Amino acid sequence: MKKTTINILLTIVIAGVIFSCDSDENKKGRFLLKGNEKMEENDPKGAMGFYKEALKMDSTYADAHYNKALAHLQLNQLTESIQDLSLAIKYKPDYYDAVFQRGLSYLDNGEFYNAREDGKKLIQLDGQNWKSHFFEGLVEEKLKNFPKALEAFGKASELNPKNSDLLVNQATILYYQKNFAAAQQALNEAMDVNPSEPNIHNLRSMIYFDEQNYEKALDAVDKAISLNKSQPYFYNNKGLYLLFLDRQEEGLELINQSIKMDAKNPFALRNKGIYYVMQGDKTSALQYLVELGRDYPDMDLVEEYLKKAQSL
């Protein structure tokens, strides 16, 4: 069941180049620009070649390390990206964008405590930037420090009150804390800012589901899907709600559709296990739920349906 995160656009650094002079400074800048052109053409491998040429001329060129890191990200090379971002920060310690991007990469790589250190750096570099507190919230959420996460998202929202995603992040933490009334209030505020944000409706559907109001949950997730048809979590959630509305085959079809879109979502695998429990298929149910019980023991419904599967 997917919460919202802010879509942070990776920013390629643009070098100022004076073409009338052929200094080394301008040559390395031209390599940077050529690399950027390749990135715009969706050719990160080609871009990396130009960034490497710039670094041959100046191994301390922080912008080239940063842009090279973004090329690695495009190629799903997370470790290499972190290495380049670290070099960019080494040669330019106040490089806010590099610290921010490295922190996000640490989060993606499961290195939450390294991410927390980068979060501290961001606040030191610019405590008035909403992204600093947003990032702090993401880290504390991953570490399950929900009060701190809620406080950080709140600070980010104060600095950027027109950002509906920040309100959805606050609502999500409140949802985790089972404070459904406060979560709904935060979603109402997000609706006032941006009623077309699909995650508002998806999270509202999750609250309705937990309140066992399955029809309202279905209506809300249908609204989310109407606004964004490419999000696998929405289809998985709809599939779950259909299971509980006694429309199991329709639900399974949507859960399978979600898995095709994102095979790594453990919630979809849980929902397949729930489907097989409802069908009385003990063997198939246990294939999903035993592993989930081991790897995600705190996931909602896993323990309950694992017990039901074992008693079939």
Side-chain angles (χ1 to χ4, degrees):
M1 294 184 181
K2 181 75 167 178
K3 66 177 275 297
T4 184
T5 55
I6 309 297
N7 290 321
I8 301 297
L9 297 177
L10 304 182
T11 304
I12 296 291
V13 174
I14 305 298
V17 181
I18 302 172
F19 289 96
S20 59
C21 178
D22 228 9
S23 68
D24 284 351
E25 192 70 21
N26 291 332
K27 285 179 181 177
K28 73 178 187 182
R30 284 201 293 273
F31 281 126
L32 191 78
L33 287 174
K34 288 179 180 178
N36 295 349
E37 289 171 1
K38 288 293 183 182
M39 288 290 281
E40 290 176 1
E41 296 168 3
N42 197 27
D43 181 9
K45 287 184 179 179
M48 211 175 298
F50 286 113
Y51 298 144
K52 287 178 180 178
E53 290 298 322
L55 289 167
K56 283 180 186 177
M57 301 191 69
D58 181 1
S59 63
T60 70
Y61 193 9
D63 289 344
H65 283 297
Y66 176 77
N67 286 9
K68 184 166 170 277
L70 300 189
H72 279 301
L73 277 181
Q74 291 282 83
L75 296 167
N76 295 314
Q77 296 169 342
L78 200 55
T79 300
E80 293 85 348
S81 179
I82 290 171
Q83 290 170 349
D84 269 316
L85 290 165
S86 295
L87 288 170
I89 296 163
K90 175 183 177 181
Y91 298 122
K92 188 177 175 182
D94 62 348
Y95 204 153
Y96 183 94
D97 287 344
V99 176
F100 184 83
Q101 186 56 60
R102 187 177 69 174
L104 289 177
S105 297
Y106 278 142
L107 281 182
D108 287 342
N109 211 33
E111 300 178 56
F112 302 149
Y113 289 99
N114 284 334
R116 177 185 265 177
E117 291 304 309
D118 275 350
K120 292 177 182 176
K121 287 190 181 101
L122 291 172
I123 290 173
Q124 290 170 357
L125 289 170
D126 189 355
Q128 292 304 304
N129 190 326
W130 68 271
K131 293 198 299 183
S132 301
H133 300 284
F134 159 70
F135 181 77
E136 181 188 17
L138 290 182
V139 174
E140 296 302 336
E141 180 190 342
K142 287 291 188 182
L143 293 170
K144 299 191 183 301
N145 295 325
F146 295 143
K148 285 187 177 180
L150 188 61
E151 181 182 358
F153 287 138
K155 287 180 181 177
S157 191
E158 287 174 11
L159 292 165
N160 189 1
K162 296 299 182 183
N163 192 322
S164 62
D165 286 343
L166 293 171
L167 291 164
V168 177
N169 279 86
Q170 292 175 67
T172 301
I173 300 300
L174 291 164
Y175 167 77
Y176 291 157
Q177 295 176 319
K178 304 299 183 185
N179 190 344
F180 297 152
Q184 289 280 25
Q185 179 57 40
L187 291 175
N188 290 339
E189 293 175 26
M191 280 285 289
D192 291 339
V193 175
N194 182 11
S196 297
E197 169 52 55
N199 287 293
I200 296 171
H201 305 284
N202 180 59
L203 182 56
R204 207 184 290 281
S205 80
M206 293 162 63
I207 294 170
Y208 286 139
F209 176 79
D210 276 18
E211 294 174 337
Q212 300 184 356
N213 194 333
Y214 305 134
E215 289 287 358
K216 278 192 173 183
L218 185 62
D219 289 343
V221 81
D222 275 337
K223 178 64 174 176
I225 292 170
S226 74
L227 293 166
N228 182 355
K229 294 180 172 60
S230 65
Q231 176 52 266
Y233 287 84
F234 297 171
Y235 295 104
N236 180 55
N237 286 353
K238 182 176 180 178
L240 176 66
Y241 309 153
L242 289 171
L243 294 184
F244 281 80
L245 285 166
D246 224 8
R247 295 161 62 181
Q248 280 90 15
E249 298 309 316
E250 293 176 69
L252 179 63
E253 185 176 342
L254 286 167
I255 293 163
N256 285 335
Q257 178 181 340
S258 175
I259 291 171
K260 287 179 182 178
M261 297 168 75
D262 178 8
K264 296 181 180 180
N265 178 12
F267 289 98
L269 302 178
R270 177 204 65 185
N271 293 350
K272 284 201 77 167
I274 291 172
Y275 165 81
Y276 285 117
V277 170
M278 291 178 170
Q279 296 298 306
D281 185 342
K282 179 176 183 176
T283 301
S284 297
L286 290 175
Q287 285 177 347
Y288 290 96
L289 296 170
V290 168
E291 186 174 345
L292 288 167
R294 182 188 68 229
D295 297 340
Y296 302 94
D298 297 327
M299 184 186 291
D300 286 347
L301 301 177
V302 167
E303 182 180 2
E304 176 186 349
Y305 277 85
L306 177 57
K307 288 180 179 177
K308 289 183 177 181
Q310 290 167 336
S311 65
L312 287 173

